[in-house]
Amino acid sequence: MSQEAAAEQVTRETEEAETTEAVETAEDAEAVDSDDAAQATPTAEVVEPTEAAKAAEPADETSAPRLADRPGWFGWRRRYSHAARAVRMGTNVLAGALVLAALLVPNRLDWITVQQFLRLPVEAIFLAAVLLTLPSKARRITAVVLGAFLGLSTILKCLDMGFRQTLARPFDLVFDWVLLNDAADFLKDSLGRTGEVLAVIGVIVLVVAVLVVSALAVMRLADVLARHRPVAVRTTLVLGVVWIICFTLGMQFGGVTVATKSYAQYLANRVQYVRDGLGDAEDFKKQLPVDAFADTPPDQLLTGLRGKDVMFTFIESYGRVAIDDPAMAPEIDATLKEGDARLKTAGFEARSGWLRSPVTGAGSWLAHSTFLSGLWIKNQQRYRTLTTSDRATLTSYFQKSGAWRTVGIVPGVRKSWPEGKYFGLDHIYDSTHLGYQGPYFSWTPVPDQFSLESFQKLEHGKKNREPIMAEIILASSHNPWSPIARMVDWDDLGDGSVFHQIKKEGTDPKEVWKDSERVRTEYRRAIEYSIHSLTEWVERYGTDDTVLVFLGDHQPVPTVTAGSTSKDVPVTIVARDRKVLDKIADWHWTDGLKPAENAPTWGMDKFRDRFMTAYGPQTD
């Protein structure tokens, strides 16, 4: 190549480089925000400042390269300036929407409506005002802290939603953490160990993601406010005035108040909830020693039941809704009438009333301990305090009397249960000691009919035995009520293998829970099965010395109760000896297995003392 040709090529390459540089400079200029353009020097060419000039410039946030001016990954912001601007605007809008959603979302699923998110929260105005008044560094730190806090409160709201769907109450920040371990055990039973691990990992990842996204969203908004400070100040003032006017006039949209302070009220309620919980522990400790029977000599305890076999039987989730709800009442009523007829034919009579449980949806152990201890056990802290105390229970008083062998039939227990000793049980039969070789029915390890038959073989059916006091937990009606066992001939129960085919014929819980009406139907069928199991057992094995007390522990989950706030459960006493029922005549309970609508309703904590008084020595 000649020298002239080489020189011409160098000149051409230089011109192409200058052209490319000019295009990139023009694209960079296009990416500058309008407020930055207003601050730029109105000259035809851009002059780069010297190093000395850069050092002399004030070190505030306007001198630092903004996110919009940075080249981005592989310089995409310079090459696609319009797309970069659209992404930036979209991200800003999304950050604002996330913050507003976190402030406005309620902590109950049934309160979530479109109107809830069309309100003006005073907390958003206050947040903007705080961020506008702070210098750069303090603003960023504050944005991260407030964003993370907003994420935490959102997680708490989600926990509230879940607890309200199962327990009809919000999550207790003081006492409910232990229940998360129970939730993990439930996942293990439902999904297996691998499913449990994956679910827990998923929850942890989701929690971290919520905290990070919330913090980034508030940081993004803080940056936007700083870059558009004059407009942001004016907008914040205008929105503040609008909020005050709307709040003062009580303006509403679609039945929802426009100007809201719901987030602040939510935080205030949670703080009060925690304070009440911490104070409750001290109040409960004062109640523990108060026991009217603590000094009663053993030979004077429960003298009205001496020689009788007494069974305290809990039917899981057997609540008032099963009897009162029009969609379930006809079938349950027929089941109770059939049970009444069977028992009367066998010479038994029954009296029924209502008890108010401390829990609903779940928390059976709290109801059981309330019934047995005579104290209102409404949370896990009270339960732990009770079971580590020397407070006597109804079952331990039977043991203390020395007139009964006390046993527990607890098929739902699949691991160590140290609290069993507290309840005064000489021997405990859990799911591994009942001889069952059949399948699980969802959560339920042992069908109710088999549990009762095992009790007959292991304890009640023995010859030349002493009287028995038994605490029996019937778990077949435990959520999720699918699939459900059905009654088989008692002589065909064997080792429980007969239930394998019955389970195959049952319903799939994943399909059932897609339809709330199917859930209610399966719940009703589960209650029917438990009642049939119990009444047929009494008909088959009951004697003149049999005294059966059976009750529900709590109402089912809100999906079944369909908005009912009642915590009432049925309670029934069955006996062949008429003297046993005569001792509770002044209770004015209803004849039969079905309590009347207006039958007496007591707190579940009142039963222990009334029962012990009725069957104490003064009644002989």
Side-chain angles (χ1 to χ4, degrees):
M1 179 183 295
S2 65
Q3 293 183 355
E4 292 81 6
E8 183 178 351
Q9 181 175 347
V10 170
T11 302
R12 191 183 311 112
E13 290 177 351
T14 303
E15 289 175 350
E16 289 177 355
E18 290 175 350
T19 301
T20 302
E21 183 179 353
V23 171
E24 290 180 350
T25 303
E27 289 177 345
D28 288 345
E30 232 180 82
V32 178
D33 289 320
S34 58
D35 55 322
D36 295 329
Q39 297 174 11
T41 303
T43 58
E45 66 180 308
V46 179
V47 179
E48 288 292 328
T50 64
E51 291 299 322
K54 289 180 181 179
E57 288 180 358
D60 64 352
E61 61 264 25
T62 59
S63 65
R66 294 179 300 103
L67 186 63
D69 298 329
R70 295 171 189 167
W73 293 340
F74 310 109
W76 74 274
R77 287 196 183 96
R78 289 181 176 176
R79 292 197 299 272
Y80 307 103
S81 58
H82 294 293
R85 185 178 296 108
V87 170
R88 185 171 65 253
M89 292 295 295
T91 305
N92 294 342
V93 171
L94 181 59
L98 287 174
V99 171
L100 285 175
L103 292 172
L104 292 173
V105 66
N107 66 334
R108 293 180 55 157
L109 286 174
D110 55 333
W111 286 357
I112 296 180
T113 61
V114 175
Q115 290 86 347
Q116 289 286 339
F117 297 96
L118 299 178
R119 298 177 297 162
L120 179 60
V122 69
E123 298 84 7
I125 300 172
F126 180 77
L127 176 63
V130 169
L131 294 176
L132 284 168
T133 59
L134 295 174
S136 177
K137 185 175 181 179
R139 184 178 67 248
R140 289 182 175 275
I141 294 174
T142 302
V144 171
V145 173
L146 292 180
F149 181 81
L150 195 61
L152 282 173
S153 64
T154 302
I155 293 169
L156 180 57
K157 287 182 178 181
C158 291
L159 285 171
D160 285 348
M161 292 179 195
F163 269 66
R164 287 188 182 278
Q165 286 300 105
T166 54
L167 303 177
R169 64 170 177 80
F171 179 77
D172 192 321
L173 279 166
V174 179
F175 304 124
D176 281 346
W177 296 106
V178 66
L179 299 183
L180 298 182
N181 184 57
D182 294 330
D185 289 340
F186 182 82
L187 288 173
K188 181 180 179 181
D189 295 334
S190 303
L191 306 175
R193 179 63 178 172
T194 301
E196 177 200 8
V197 172
L198 291 176
V200 171
I201 292 174
V203 169
I204 293 173
V205 171
L206 183 60
V207 167
V208 173
V210 169
L211 296 178
V212 172
V213 169
S214 298
L216 291 176
V218 178
M219 285 182 63
R220 184 81 183 190
L221 293 179
D223 187 53
V224 172
L225 292 173
R227 287 192 285 111
H228 304 280
R229 181 180 177 81
V231 176
V233 170
R234 290 194 297 269
T235 303
T236 302
L237 290 174
V238 170
L239 290 177
V241 172
V242 170
W243 188 92
I244 293 172
I245 293 173
C246 292
F247 184 79
T248 303
L249 298 178
M251 295 181 63
Q252 293 188 345
F253 173 75
V256 177
T257 303
V258 174
T260 178
K261 53 178 181 177
S262 59
Y263 183 76
Q265 187 62 53
Y266 171 75
L267 295 180
N269 291 341
R270 300 305 295 173
V271 170
Q272 186 60 45
Y273 203 71
V274 170
R275 293 178 63 184
D276 292 344
L278 294 174
D280 177 73
E282 293 301 319
D283 293 339
F284 184 66
K285 288 180 180 179
K286 296 177 183 178
Q287 298 171 21
L288 271 174
V290 181
D291 186 349
F293 300 94
D295 298 326
T296 303
D299 61 352
Q300 295 183 37
L301 290 170
L302 300 158
T303 54
L305 292 173
R306 297 297 171 106
K308 303 293 184 184
D309 294 320
V310 184
M311 300 162 55
F312 295 103
T313 305
F314 295 90
I315 297 180
E316 173 69 32
S317 301
Y318 180 31
R320 185 163 191 155
V321 66
I323 292 175
D324 287 354
D325 191 291
M328 293 182 263
E331 291 84 356
I332 295 294
D333 187 57
T335 299
L336 293 174
K337 285 182 178 179
E338 180 185 346
D340 259 331
R342 286 176 175 274
L343 293 177
K344 286 181 179 180
T345 300
F348 289 90
E349 295 185 49
R351 302 288 185 273
S352 299
W354 301 103
L355 296 178
R356 186 175 61 258
S357 175
V359 294
T360 186
S364 301
W365 60 97
L366 303 182
H368 299 171
S369 54
T370 295
F371 179 83
L372 297 174
S373 71
L375 294 173
W376 196 248
I377 312 301
K378 61 181 181 179
N379 56 49
Q380 193 66 18
Q381 179 63 38
R382 285 192 170 208
Y383 179 77
R384 286 183 170 181
T385 303
L386 173 70
T387 54
T388 54
S389 72
D390 57 2
R391 167 85 179 193
T393 64
L394 182 55
T395 45
S396 65
Y397 272 128
F398 273 89
Q399 184 186 54
K400 181 181 178 182
S401 72
W404 284 272
R405 170 174 166 78
T406 59
V407 299
I409 307 295
V410 288
V413 175
R414 283 163 278 185
K415 57 184 180 181
S416 176
W417 188 45
E419 296 94 331
K421 293 182 179 179
Y422 164 75
F423 288 105
L425 302 175
D426 295 325
H427 192 82
I428 296 173
Y429 297 93
D430 60 23
S431 61
T432 63
H433 295 93
L434 295 176
Y436 182 66
Q437 300 299 318
Y440 276 28
F441 282 82
S442 188
W443 184 89
T444 308
V446 185
D448 291 347
Q449 186 183 9
F450 193 94
S451 295
L452 291 167
E453 178 68 12
S454 296
F455 169 61
Q456 174 65 21
K457 292 178 178 178
L458 295 169
E459 291 286 346
H460 188 265
K462 290 182 177 179
K463 295 181 179 180
N464 302 318
R465 60 171 175 77
E466 58 187 321
I468 297 172
M469 189 291 303
E471 179 187 357
I472 302 176
I473 313 298
L474 299 183
S476 288
S477 50
H478 193 288
N479 181 343
W481 311 301
S482 176
I484 303 168
R486 59 174 171 80
M487 297 297 295
V488 300
D489 190 291
W490 291 83
D491 293 328
D492 295 337
L493 285 172
D495 64 358
S497 299
V498 66
F499 287 103
H500 281 289
Q501 183 60 35
I502 294 175
K503 182 178 180 179
K504 291 179 181 179
E505 298 169 356
T507 53
D508 183 351
K510 294 189 293 295
E511 294 300 319
V512 168
W513 278 84
K514 292 178 181 179
D515 182 353
S516 60
E517 288 307 312
R518 288 194 66 186
V519 172
R520 287 159 58 80
T521 298
E522 295 302 293
Y523 163 76
R524 185 257 302 164
R525 291 180 57 219
I527 295 298
E528 289 177 324
Y529 170 73
S530 295
I531 294 173
H532 278 305
S533 298
L534 190 56
T535 54
E536 287 190 22
W537 184 91
V538 175
E539 177 192 28
R540 182 179 177 89
Y541 297 117
T543 70
D544 291 343
D545 293 327
T546 298
V547 177
L548 169 66
V549 181
F550 75 92
L551 67 152
D553 48 13
H554 54 70
Q555 288 261 60
V557 296
T559 302
V560 178
T561 57
S564 172
T565 58
S566 172
K567 292 186 176 182
D568 295 349
V569 297
V571 57
T572 300
I573 297 181
V574 179
R576 185 181 283 171
D577 186 347
R578 184 60 184 265
K579 293 180 181 179
V580 172
L581 298 179
D582 287 344
K583 292 180 183 296
I584 62 168
D586 60 346
W587 290 6
H588 305 295
W589 281 14
T590 307
D591 290 347
L593 300 180
K594 178 184 176 181
E597 184 178 354
N598 61 349
T601 303
W602 308 336
M604 194 175 279
D605 58 328
K606 304 301 181 184
F607 182 86
R608 188 201 76 156
D609 286 7
R610 294 195 182 197
F611 185 87
M612 293 188 66
T613 298
Y615 295 106
Q618 66 270 30
T619 62
D620 286 350

